[in-house]
Amino acid sequence: MAQSNSERLETVISNVASYKAYDTSEFPLGRFSESLSQEYMMFAKQQINLLDEINTSELTETELISLQLLKFKLNNTIDAYNFNMHLNPIQADQGFH
């Protein structure tokens, strides 16, 4: 049986929420590398593609807002990679990393 659009949205939300690029117990201060940033950017693109397949006319208002916010967050991840933000050690919203 095919998933409903609400279920598909919930699956993508769950995928994004549970995504772990590395083991935080092994790298408690974070891990910053080109390949890791690229991997997360590719993951974001895949999730946006899944969101684009959802028929938004069948979603509730709350689900539609969730979809739009998630797309914004994922697009921001892609833009950050494309503009090489991972190479900038000081960011106004994050400080040193």
Side-chain angles (χ1 to χ4, degrees), residues 52-71:
D52 286 341
E53 295 173 2
I54 294 174
N55 182 354
T56 57
S57 67
E58 297 178 8
L59 299 177
T60 66
E61 182 180 7
T62 302
E63 290 170 333
L64 185 58
I65 291 169
S66 294
L67 182 139
Q68 291 169 340
L69 285 172
L70 185 56
K71 271 185 154 179

Side-chain angles (χ1 to χ4, degrees), residues 7-66:
E7 291 170 333
R8 292 166 69 190
L9 175 60
E10 186 59 39
T11 299
V12 174
I13 290 171
S14 178
N15 288 344
V16 172
S18 64
Y19 180 82
K20 302 285 184 235
Y22 59 91
D23 182 3
T24 55
S25 64
E26 187 177 346
F27 299 95
L29 297 178
R31 188 169 162 223
F32 305 96
S33 70
E34 175 83 23
S35 62
L36 200 61
S37 297
Q38 184 179 24
E39 181 183 313
Y40 187 50
M41 183 269 302
M42 295 302 294
F43 171 78
K45 281 185 176 182
Q46 291 171 346
Q47 299 311 302
I48 287 176
N49 288 340
L50 293 174
L51 291 173
D52 286 341
E53 295 173 2
I54 294 174
N55 182 354
T56 57
S57 67
E58 297 178 8
L59 299 177
T60 66
E61 182 180 7
T62 302
E63 290 170 333
L64 185 58
I65 291 169
S66 294

Side-chain angles (χ1 to χ4, degrees), residues 65-84:
I65 291 169
S66 294
L67 182 139
Q68 291 169 340
L69 285 172
L70 185 56
K71 271 185 154 179
F72 177 83
K73 178 186 181 298
L74 293 169
N75 277 316
N76 190 53
T77 297
I78 294 166
D79 290 343
Y81 178 80
N82 289 335
F83 290 109
N84 293 318

